[in-house]
Amino acid sequence: MSKANSTSTRQREEEDEQGSAHGAAGEQLSTAPREERPDTGAGVPAMSVIGWVRWFWRQLTSMRVALILLFLLSLGAIPGSLIPQTSVDDMKVQAFKDRHTTLTPIYEALQLFDVYSSVWFSAIYILLFVSLIGCIVPRTGQFVGQLRSRPPGAPKRLTRLPAYATWRTEADPEAVRATALRLLRGRRFRGHEVGDAVAAEKGYLREAGNLVFHIALIVMLIAFASGQLFKSEGGKLVVEGDGFSNTLTQYDDFKSGSLYDSDSLAPFSFVLDDFVGTYEKSGPQRGTPRTFEARVTYAEGAEGAERKGVIKVNEPLVVDGTKVYLIAHGYAPVVTVRDGKGKVVSKSAVPLLPIDNNITSSGAIKVMDGYKDKNGKKTQLGFKAFFVPTFAGHGKGQMFSQFPALDFPVLALSAYQGSLGVDSGLAQNVYQLDTSKMKEFKDEDGELLKKMLMPGEKLDLPDGAGSITFEGTEEWASFQISQQPGNGWALGGAVAAIAGLAGSLFIQRRRVWVRAVRGADGVTVVEMAGLGRSESAKLPEELGDLSAALVTTAPVAPEKPAASTSTDADGPDATNEAGSRPVHPAEAPAEGAEK
């Protein structure tokens, strides 16, 4: 019983020793910063201000907190996508506020109409930036140290490692180790000879991919910040035949970052020669655009040569780093307004805004100057306009377009006279008519004067007040002109992040040891073992391939007949577990088994 207890105690001691060696070998594969946990004893000691600062810094720069901040940043971007943003469209924000009077004060208090410039989003953004830098700097230092160091020596008992193989050979131990080192280096392992074994390591790009992923995140954050600070973005609606010059006064609306300099606007101009739109005429996709492009003539600089270009959806015109996107299309009825004496007081193409996918459009026609009534008094005219490019016909339901192309254009007008309110100095929507200070023109029945016009037809105003004629239809295109300096960096960071993440997920870091020692009987015993940073089915397979390649130069020694069948397994004449046959890693002794 005493002998059994002694054997069991010795076995446990050996297992603890090998477990410690195994754990130390596995720990060296990681480049993550080690957390120092002081022994607090029975109670928790009070920390000074510096101690709390160090504790906060450790928490902030931990990978766990970085992932939480990244999740919060993604979560914070959701309201920025669902709720109208002031930086994108003021009109949509105001319309949202008018519809939701109860939610508006709450959203304003939480800065949900300005998510990306809000205090809380900026705080998350800055903390994530600091956290990533705090994570990367120590990891990079440790990784560089790992690259400069050599793989550690072999553990005392290789049988405790996850993948293991062994055999006996008559080759010299020095020759076996030299061949093993040459074989491992040929398979891109970093190796060297330590004592009676060869130590080799492979898969450093796993940690490199992890670092590249996090550095790419920082690059993307910087690119996003620079894009928001130095960006410029504006919109312009252009009717066929008209042009645009890249100056602030030419924009319909213009927004820029807080550090943007208006002097950095790229000098260029373009003219909309023609807009081409074709649509599916039948089937379930009837009305879907097939051709949707703006053909322009543009010039760089004040005296640049004119060039032809085509702007399509998601295919912008790029001029000196500025991109011109095609974002919308519509129709502009050409109308001529005459006074009571037949004098033309206005003739222009008036853009109307689409209200459905078939480009049913509405808007206002305003005559602000040059018109006099029958008494010779200066006044203003206003017309509410409703346009359909393809009219279904009288008696076929409401006046809505049946198709987006100009197959049967009809313009419906209702007429007013008086003050348009444009002289008050207040901003006014050009597509809406303010009739609060205007009077309706009446028809013979005393109702509001209104009429549907086809091209070439006119609406006569009562009492010799003049007329308005529908001459035809032009097309317009709306463009977004934007300059965002961080887009290229953001794209590069995204590509690098994907590449780094793929490397950290699919590249496996592992170590291989080959020990060759001469046994008591003069025969060399070869042992091979492998250890990976994470469990992998490929590690035993790779070790099996390496052992098979090494056996070709260090062949298995023939078995010698046992001198006595009663020889103790622990005696000097004992052979290895598999005799002289190589043990494949799948046949390696189980963890805890005694050799």
Side-chain angles (χ1 to χ4, degrees):
M1 180 66 68
S2 175
K3 181 180 180 180
N5 290 338
S6 176
T7 302
S8 177
T9 302
R10 180 168 54 87
Q11 179 178 347
R12 284 197 300 271
E13 291 176 351
E14 290 180 355
E15 290 177 355
D16 292 341
E17 179 184 352
Q18 298 304 322
S20 300
H22 187 178
E27 184 178 337
Q28 292 179 13
L29 282 176
S30 174
T31 61
R34 296 181 177 86
E35 293 187 2
E36 299 179 359
R37 299 182 179 180
D39 185 9
T40 59
V44 179
M47 289 194 299
S48 63
V49 175
I50 297 178
W52 279 109
V53 171
R54 292 181 62 185
W55 177 85
F56 177 78
W57 176 253
R58 279 203 192 97
Q59 299 304 313
L60 180 60
T61 57
S62 67
M63 190 57 62
R64 178 178 62 255
V65 173
L67 292 175
I68 293 174
L69 290 172
L70 187 61
F71 173 75
L72 291 177
L73 193 71
S74 303
L75 197 65
I78 294 177
S81 302
L82 300 179
I83 301 173
Q85 297 296 294
T86 304
S87 60
V88 177
D89 195 330
D90 287 328
M91 295 180 62
K92 286 187 177 180
V93 171
Q94 188 58 48
F96 183 91
K97 292 180 178 179
D98 295 340
R99 292 195 308 268
H100 305 86
T101 55
T102 304
L103 289 175
T104 295
I106 301 175
Y107 283 7
E108 288 179 340
L110 296 176
Q111 298 179 297
L112 295 184
F113 294 116
D114 300 278
V115 168
Y116 301 110
S117 59
S118 63
V119 175
W120 56 269
F121 191 87
S122 301
I124 297 174
Y125 188 90
I126 295 173
L127 287 175
L128 176 61
F129 189 81
V130 174
S131 178
L132 287 175
I133 293 178
C135 289
I136 290 173
V137 171
R139 291 175 69 94
T140 302
Q142 291 194 8
F143 180 59
V144 171
Q146 291 287 333
L147 289 177
R148 298 176 62 182
S149 63
R150 289 186 172 189
K156 183 176 180 180
R157 296 197 60 181
L158 296 177
T159 55
R160 302 303 183 189
L161 298 184
Y164 177 80
T166 183
W167 70 94
R168 290 157 52 89
T169 181
E170 295 180 351
D172 292 334
E174 294 79 6
V176 173
R177 291 194 292 268
T179 302
L181 182 60
R182 188 166 54 252
L183 173 65
L184 290 168
R185 287 177 174 174
R187 300 199 179 191
R188 299 190 300 278
F189 278 84
R190 282 199 327 157
H192 67 123
E193 193 169 344
V194 184
D196 61 356
V198 172
E201 189 169 0
K202 186 179 182 180
Y204 286 91
L205 288 180
R206 178 187 180 92
E207 290 299 327
N210 195 15
L211 292 174
V212 166
F213 171 74
H214 291 90
I215 293 173
L217 287 182
I218 293 180
V219 172
M220 292 173 65
L221 291 175
I222 295 175
F224 177 77
S226 64
Q228 293 297 313
L229 293 174
F230 296 98
K231 74 173 183 178
S232 68
E233 185 176 276
K236 179 63 177 179
L237 187 149
V238 183
V239 180
E240 288 176 331
D242 291 343
F244 167 79
S245 180
N246 193 28
T247 59
L248 287 178
T249 56
Q250 288 279 300
Y251 283 93
D252 294 332
D253 59 85
F254 184 84
K255 297 181 182 298
S256 63
S258 57
L259 299 181
Y260 181 77
D261 184 5
S262 60
D263 293 335
S264 61
L265 283 173
F268 71 91
S269 60
F270 68 86
V271 174
L272 177 60
D273 299 325
D274 186 26
F275 181 87
V276 179
T278 60
Y279 308 89
E280 187 69 35
K281 293 184 176 296
S282 61
Q285 294 186 342
R286 184 176 185 272
T288 302
R290 294 306 180 198
T291 304
F292 203 79
E293 60 186 35
R295 298 174 181 175
V296 300
T297 300
Y298 69 97
E300 296 186 39
E303 299 178 357
E306 292 187 347
R307 303 178 184 177
K308 296 291 184 180
V310 177
I311 306 175
K312 301 179 181 179
V313 177
N314 296 326
E315 295 182 18
L317 173 68
V318 182
V319 184
D320 195 15
T322 301
K323 295 183 178 180
V324 182
Y325 292 91
L326 174 64
I327 59 173
H329 159 258
Y331 295 107
V334 180
V335 295
T336 301
V337 180
R338 294 177 173 86
D339 60 14
K341 296 181 180 181
K343 178 184 176 182
V344 176
V345 295
S346 175
K347 183 176 182 179
S348 61
V350 182
L352 304 180
L353 293 181
I355 60 175
D356 61 21
N357 292 332
N358 287 327
I359 318 186
T360 302
S361 306
S362 66
I365 301 172
K366 302 177 182 181
V367 181
M368 294 176 283
D369 299 310
Y371 176 78
K372 297 179 181 181
D373 61 13
K374 61 181 180 179
N375 300 321
K377 182 180 178 182
K378 289 185 178 181
T379 186
Q380 295 174 332
L381 297 178
F383 301 88
K384 288 185 177 180
F386 197 82
F387 177 80
V388 290
T390 301
F391 183 47
H394 293 284
K396 295 185 179 180
Q398 296 179 337
M399 185 179 171
F400 281 94
S401 179
Q402 306 299 306
F403 195 69
L406 282 173
D407 293 344
F408 189 1
V410 173
L411 176 65
L413 298 173
S414 55
Y416 300 82
Q417 65 175 339
S419 174
L420 293 170
V422 295
D423 300 327
S424 63
L426 299 177
Q428 190 178 89
N429 192 329
V430 296
Y431 302 105
Q432 295 179 352
L433 185 65
D434 181 7
T435 60
S436 60
K437 297 181 180 181
M438 304 189 77
K439 295 181 180 180
E440 300 176 350
F441 281 103
K442 303 292 185 179
D443 59 13
E444 296 176 353
D445 298 327
E447 300 293 335
L448 173 64
L449 179 66
K450 53 187 178 180
K451 185 179 180 180
M452 290 190 296
L453 305 176
M454 292 175 39
E457 296 182 344
K458 69 177 180 178
L459 170 63
D460 290 320
L461 302 177
D463 300 328
S467 65
I468 179 170
T469 305
F470 177 26
E471 306 287 356
T473 308
E474 297 285 353
E475 299 187 58
W476 60 260
S478 181
F479 300 94
Q480 177 180 294
I481 300 93
S482 64
Q483 184 179 5
Q484 290 184 324
N487 284 348
W489 286 98
L491 177 61
V495 173
I498 294 174
L501 183 62
S504 65
L505 291 177
F506 297 110
I507 297 176
Q508 298 178 358
R509 190 175 177 188
R510 61 270 193 204
R511 285 180 179 148
V512 172
W513 292 277
V514 181
R515 174 176 286 145
V517 295
R518 194 177 299 278
D521 57 355
V523 179
T524 300
V525 178
V526 181
E527 291 182 291
M528 296 185 68
L531 175 65
R533 182 174 181 178
S534 59
E535 294 295 331
S536 173
K538 292 185 178 180
L539 181 60
E541 181 181 347
E542 184 177 30
L543 192 67
D545 293 339
L546 289 170
S547 62
L550 187 58
V551 163
T552 59
T553 56
V556 177
E559 295 186 11
K560 295 180 180 181
S564 173
T565 58
S566 61
T567 303
D568 189 354
D570 293 330
D573 295 332
T575 62
N576 60 307
E577 295 92 326
S580 60
R581 179 179 62 84
V583 177
H584 193 275
E587 303 172 356
E591 185 74 24
E594 185 177 4
K595 183 174 178 180

